[in-house]
Amino acid sequence: MPGKLPKVHFRHVGIHATDLDRLVGFYKNVLGFLESDSGMASFGNRLVFMTQDVEEHHQFVIFDGRPEEIDYNPINQLSFKLESLADLKTFDGVLKEAGIEGAIATDHGNAWSLYFPDPEGNFVELYVDSPFYTPQPCKAPLDLDDSEDEILATTESLCRSRPDFLTRSQWQERLHERIAAERP
């Protein structure tokens, strides 16, 4: 094994769909992805590449060919990072307008999340990092109808009430040190 491994950047995920057009429409119309390419995979499946980032040809690839009779979805969740708490609040409204039921807003202390199923039952997470750190797992209710200041105060109180409170920047510095010391 070489001395120091190169850093790996996770950039995209690919999933199979039972109804490719319906799933692509959902990610376009509800989450705002654009189709960057489409065609036939070398193994015969139709596929659609999707992105929201000019630096990334695709962040998401959807293939057809998922058998409908599979009774277990192997995907735990598809997580998409947002830029701000305001964006998370906006998407809460978008999901309600789109008639998407079962959305769950969660305060993880280190992040605020909104979980909901896509049309094929894949669990989707939209999230934004908070300025705090608390050990995980941590799950508390989140009311996205509260003001951003109220949410921030509630989350800070939650994090300070748990052991090992840090700000996000303190946690990042400690993680930076660990990566430098421990990563092969």
Side-chain angles (χ1 to χ4, degrees), residues 3 10 13 25 32 42 56 75 77-78 85 108 135 137 150-151 159 167 180:
F10 180 78
V13 66
S42 59
E56 300 292 336
I75 297 171
Q77 69 186 41
L78 301 168
L85 185 53
H108 292 294
E150 290 171 319
I151 291 170
C159 291
T167 65

Side-chain angles (χ1 to χ4, degrees), residues 30 93-100:
V30 175
V94 168
L95 295 177
K96 288 174 183 169
E97 286 178 25
I100 296 170

Side-chain angles (χ1 to χ4, degrees), residues 46-175:
R46 284 179 48 221
L47 73 156
V48 176
F49 296 92
M50 305 186 84
T51 192
Q52 292 185 11
D53 186 339
V54 297
E55 299 296 325
E56 300 292 336
H57 172 268
H58 59 279
Q59 297 171 293
F60 196 39
V61 186
I62 305 175
F63 299 82
D64 70 359
R66 179 173 148 192
E68 291 186 35
E69 61 275 1
I70 291 178
D71 60 353
Y72 172 75
N73 186 343
I75 297 171
N76 177 271
Q77 69 186 41
L78 301 168
S79 299
F80 301 95
K81 186 175 183 179
L82 304 177
E83 293 182 6
S84 69
L85 185 53
D87 291 346
L88 190 66
K89 291 168 73 71
T90 296
F91 271 111
D92 185 44
V94 168
L95 295 177
K96 288 174 183 169
E97 286 178 25
I100 296 170
E101 297 179 9
I104 301 167
T106 303
D107 187 340
H108 292 294
N110 67 345
W112 299 290
S113 298
L114 188 57
Y115 297 96
F116 57 95
D118 74 10
E120 295 202 359
N122 299 305
F123 213 43
V124 177
E125 175 193 27
L126 299 176
Y127 76 97
V128 62
D129 290 326
S130 84
F132 311 111
Y133 165 80
T134 191
Q136 297 299 306
C138 174
K139 182 178 180 184
L142 173 63
D143 187 346
L144 290 171
D145 290 329
D146 287 348
S147 73
E148 289 184 41
D149 288 340
E150 290 171 319
I151 291 170
L152 190 64
T154 299
T155 300
E156 182 174 5
S157 177
L158 167 69
C159 291
R160 287 187 182 277
S161 73
R162 295 170 47 89
D164 302 323
F165 170 80
L166 295 170
T167 65
R168 180 168 180 75
S169 60
Q170 290 169 327
W171 172 80
Q172 286 174 314
E173 181 56 35
R174 287 187 183 180
L175 184 60

